[in-house]
Amino acid sequence: MALALIVEDDHINAFITQKFIGDHFESDIAPDGHTALQKVTQKNYDIILMDINLGNEELDGVEVLKQIRAMSGLESIPSIAVTAYALSNDRERFLDQGFNQYLSKPINKDELLREMHALIKAN
């Protein structure tokens, strides 16, 4: 079973996401960017679901992804921005910043699973 890292500072959103994907993916939760950076060095994740606003202006989801992608062997790990940012240009902005896909909250379970499976298959 593929392994996902859910980077989400809201414990309810993290719990819901974990329940959504639980029949298809094993998963770990990182409640902040520092924990996410630590976890990716300890396990081989197949995909990352990344909240953007992690409660730390200096280490938001975009910065965490940049640091992960700079790590040897993790340059191409699939990552989905899962965020409340939902303005018309946000999708393009996050894709331009290195995310493979973008989903706005509240997330749709079927859409999330479809995108996760597609990214893992393509990788």
Side-chain angles (χ1 to χ4, degrees), residues 1-3 19-26 109 113 116-117:
M1 190 176 287
L3 181 59
K19 289 296 180 192
F20 275 4
I21 69 172
D23 290 339
H24 302 266
F25 295 88
E26 290 183 37
K109 177 182 177 180
L113 289 170
M116 290 176 74
H117 286 296

Side-chain angles (χ1 to χ4, degrees), residues 60-80:
D60 65 3
V62 173
E63 181 59 31
V64 173
L65 181 65
K66 286 180 185 175
Q67 291 187 31
I68 290 171
R69 292 274 169 89
M71 295 178 185
S72 179
L74 299 178
E75 302 89 353
S76 63
I77 186 169
S79 184
I80 300 175

Side-chain angles (χ1 to χ4, degrees), residues 25-61:
F25 295 88
E26 290 183 37
S27 62
D28 290 332
I29 295 173
D32 58 61
H34 295 290
T35 304
L37 292 170
Q38 181 181 27
K39 284 185 177 286
V40 298
T41 64
Q42 297 169 343
K43 290 186 180 179
N44 294 318
Y45 292 97
D46 297 294
I47 192 163
I48 298 172
L49 305 178
M50 181 81 70
D51 184 23
I52 300 301
N53 184 351
L54 296 172
N56 182 335
E57 291 180 20
E58 296 170 9
L59 194 58
D60 65 3

